[in-house]
Amino acid sequence: MSVGSERAVTAESEVAEICRDLIRIDTSNYGDGSGPGERKAAEYVAEQLAEFGLEPQIFESAKGRASTVVRIEGEDRSRPGLLIHGHTDVVPANADDWTVHPFSGEITDGCVWGRGAVDMKDMDAMTLAVVRDRLRTGRKPPRDLVLAFLADEEAGGTYGARFLVDRHPELFEGVTEAIGEVGGFSFTVNDQARLYLIETAEKGMHWMRLTVEGRAGHGSMENNDNAITELCEAVARLGRHQFPLRITKTVRAFLDELSDALGVRLDPEDMDETLRVLGGIAKMIGTTLRNTAQPTMLGAGYKVNVIPGQATAHVDGRFLPGYEEEFLAELDSVLGPRVKRESLHYDKALETSFDGPLVEAMQTALRAEDPIARAVPYCLSGGTDAKSFQDLGIRCFGFAPLQLPPELDFAGMFHGVDERVPVDGLQFGVRVLDRFIDLA
């Protein structure tokens, strides 16, 4: 059912309702291949686009694991195309922890609440609202747009972006640039400067299983080859280990821009003061200064009086662009020779320069709505579907524009409790995105 009506004729007037509708579709991704709700979300997106004459395609990589893709012809079809991509799946949420039900899509205190409000059904809603409005008013984009609403991003994109890139690359023929999630959000420095962080780099990932083999035996007897003991000691070393500071070109550019905005020099060798200045977004920036490896799961044994012969742990490893080999060598050194390391999911790090007409279009679109806006590059500590699209030679940026109140802990919303997005932030976003499409 369409959220539009004869009275609701603008992107601004319907974006919050679209976001609300999407949140109410439970697309929790448990990482077990089930993907409940993704098909329903794909059909909802297709309906919103088909209402105005488009012919979106739904691609199902496995039962229920569905993505929606459509191409919109531009005025000048000789120009390369632009991809706007977003994912419809979300991480699970425990309703008991939330102020409101995470799949209620409740609108209160000026915000749309629910799982996916910032990661990333907000951008999905903005894209749909802008495109619907442009179709409603007969405004073609300057060049072809490809819209992709994707499954499975929260588990690495195997059933979504990776499936489409590997099996249906023709969908993205002629596309050279893309925008997606976790960029374009505001960080208010002072009354004269508001930075909008554009993702131009993201860390690579190594999700891995660690295994130690030991001597099985009776729990009442001494055992100097206990797999659990050996593994726990290695995991504790890793969990407490701090990898060395590494300032990539993107982080350097961000610090230079921040120094200029603050009117003070920030020393990358003394990051404590810099992170203090950054407030809430320090969580996002701080983890882009080093490689990281966080233990996340442990498993061993089947009975209290039996010493098992094997113990396992899972680790979420993230490495900076250009530092993968260093990361793996240091990881093995910390773990020691008894630990067997097995890769479960790997994806590369990305980095592009902060220049060119597309970046200028972002800056111009932001400043038109916010005179003190300043677009700056930054590195994302996590990963996005850009990793898959980069394999097609597409230059990817994170640009999902939002103007946020300074007191909102935006970084804490990602995979957090009480995730929410301001309605006026969504309305700001559709104005910027609409203008950006005209300039891109």
Side-chain angles (χ1 to χ4, degrees):
M1 183 176 66
S2 168
V3 299
S5 71
E6 291 303 316
R7 291 170 296 174
V9 294
T10 68
E12 287 185 69
S13 64
E14 69 174 5
V15 64
E17 197 66 28
I18 295 175
C19 187
R20 186 182 204 181
D21 286 351
L22 287 168
I23 289 170
R24 287 174 169 173
I25 303 171
D26 183 353
T27 53
S28 298
N29 188 340
Y30 294 91
D32 60 0
S34 60
E38 288 173 335
R39 176 77 197 195
K40 186 176 179 181
E43 290 173 350
Y44 173 88
V45 168
E47 289 171 4
Q48 300 308 307
L49 297 171
E51 182 182 349
F52 293 96
L54 295 181
E55 297 181 357
Q57 296 175 272
I58 295 178
F59 296 87
E60 199 169 71
S61 55
K63 184 175 175 56
R65 310 310 302 272
S67 301
T68 303
V69 182
V70 69
R71 182 180 288 259
I72 303 172
E73 291 188 5
E75 294 282 0
D76 184 355
R77 305 214 66 199
S78 68
R79 292 184 60 193
L82 173 69
L83 168 66
I84 302 178
H85 63 94
H87 61 87
T88 60
D89 65 318
V90 298
V91 295
N94 182 358
D96 292 339
D97 297 334
W98 286 58
T99 303
V100 303
H101 194 282
F103 299 105
S104 66
E106 184 172 324
I107 299 178
T108 188
D109 297 330
C111 293
V112 184
W113 294 60
R115 177 59 85 218
V118 301
D119 187 14
M120 64 167 295
K121 291 179 176 179
D122 56 342
M123 179 58 171
D124 294 335
M126 288 191 290
T127 302
L128 284 172
V130 167
V131 168
R132 282 166 56 85
D133 190 61
R134 296 181 72 95
L135 293 169
R136 183 187 293 118
T137 55
R139 294 180 295 135
K140 293 183 75 170
R143 54 169 162 162
D144 279 13
L145 293 181
V146 175
L147 310 182
F149 299 84
L150 304 158
D152 197 39
E153 190 275 345
E154 295 292 0
T158 301
Y159 293 98
R162 175 51 54 191
F163 171 79
L164 293 178
V165 166
D166 289 346
R167 301 282 292 276
H168 299 281
E170 71 281 356
L171 294 169
F172 311 100
E173 184 177 354
V175 172
T176 58
E177 296 169 308
I179 61 169
E181 62 175 326
V182 204
F185 57 91
S186 67
F187 168 62
T188 301
V189 178
N190 50 45
D191 292 340
Q192 288 76 45
R194 191 161 22 245
L195 305 185
Y196 287 82
L197 279 65
I198 312 299
E199 189 218 304
T200 58
E202 55 186 54
K203 294 174 85 172
M205 65 173 70
H206 274 288
W207 293 345
M208 62 194 83
R209 180 188 293 116
L210 309 180
T211 303
V212 171
E213 305 285 347
R215 187 174 72 250
H218 199 288
S220 68
M221 297 183 182
E222 292 186 0
N223 189 320
N224 60 5
D225 190 23
N226 189 312
I228 294 177
T229 302
E230 185 72 31
L231 178 73
C232 286
E233 288 175 347
V235 168
R237 288 194 303 271
L238 183 62
R240 297 189 181 100
H241 181 71
Q242 186 173 69
F243 289 80
L245 187 73
R246 296 288 183 257
I247 306 298
T248 64
K249 66 178 183 180
T250 296
V251 172
R252 171 69 69 180
F254 170 78
L255 293 175
D256 288 346
E257 292 279 1
L258 182 60
S259 296
D260 189 59
L262 292 171
V264 297
R265 183 181 179 277
L266 297 173
D267 183 1
E269 300 301 324
D270 179 17
M271 291 303 299
D272 289 342
E273 176 62 19
T274 299
L275 295 177
R276 186 191 66 78
V277 169
L278 291 175
I281 65 167
K283 301 171 190 172
M284 302 181 77
I285 303 302
T287 51
T288 65
L289 305 173
R290 308 173 191 274
N291 297 323
T292 59
Q294 293 291 350
T296 54
M297 297 170 64
L298 286 170
Y302 54 89
K303 197 171 186 293
V304 68
N305 63 343
V306 177
I307 299 171
Q310 184 184 86
T312 62
H314 288 72
V315 171
D316 185 346
R318 309 282 175 149
F319 56 92
L320 293 165
Y323 290 95
E324 180 178 6
E325 290 186 9
E326 177 183 279
F327 168 71
L328 292 175
E330 189 165 354
L331 183 72
D332 288 338
S333 176
V334 172
L335 291 174
R338 285 289 304 276
V339 179
K340 175 187 175 184
R341 175 169 56 80
E342 175 189 1
S343 178
L344 299 178
H345 183 82
Y346 162 82
D347 228 327
K348 57 188 171 296
L350 302 179
E351 190 165 36
T352 189
S353 56
F354 189 62
D355 54 19
L358 202 70
V359 170
E360 293 172 8
M362 295 176 196
Q363 181 71 279
T364 301
L366 287 167
R367 281 185 175 163
E369 295 298 330
D370 183 2
I372 62 171
R374 181 171 181 168
V376 300
Y378 90 106
C379 177
L380 177 66
S381 59
T384 74
D385 285 326
K387 294 181 186 299
S388 294
F389 294 121
Q390 197 266 351
D391 286 350
L392 296 177
I394 298 173
R395 188 182 182 205
C396 297
F397 297 87
F399 185 64
L402 286 174
Q403 187 179 105
L404 302 168
E407 66 275 10
L408 185 69
D409 182 12
F410 183 66
M413 298 291 175
F414 285 84
H415 299 188
V417 172
D418 287 346
E419 187 179 349
R420 60 197 182 276
V421 62
V423 172
D424 58 5
L426 291 171
Q427 293 170 340
F428 170 88
V430 296
R431 295 194 301 271
V432 172
L433 189 60
D434 188 41
R435 191 183 299 269
F436 166 78
I437 289 172
D438 282 333
L439 297 170

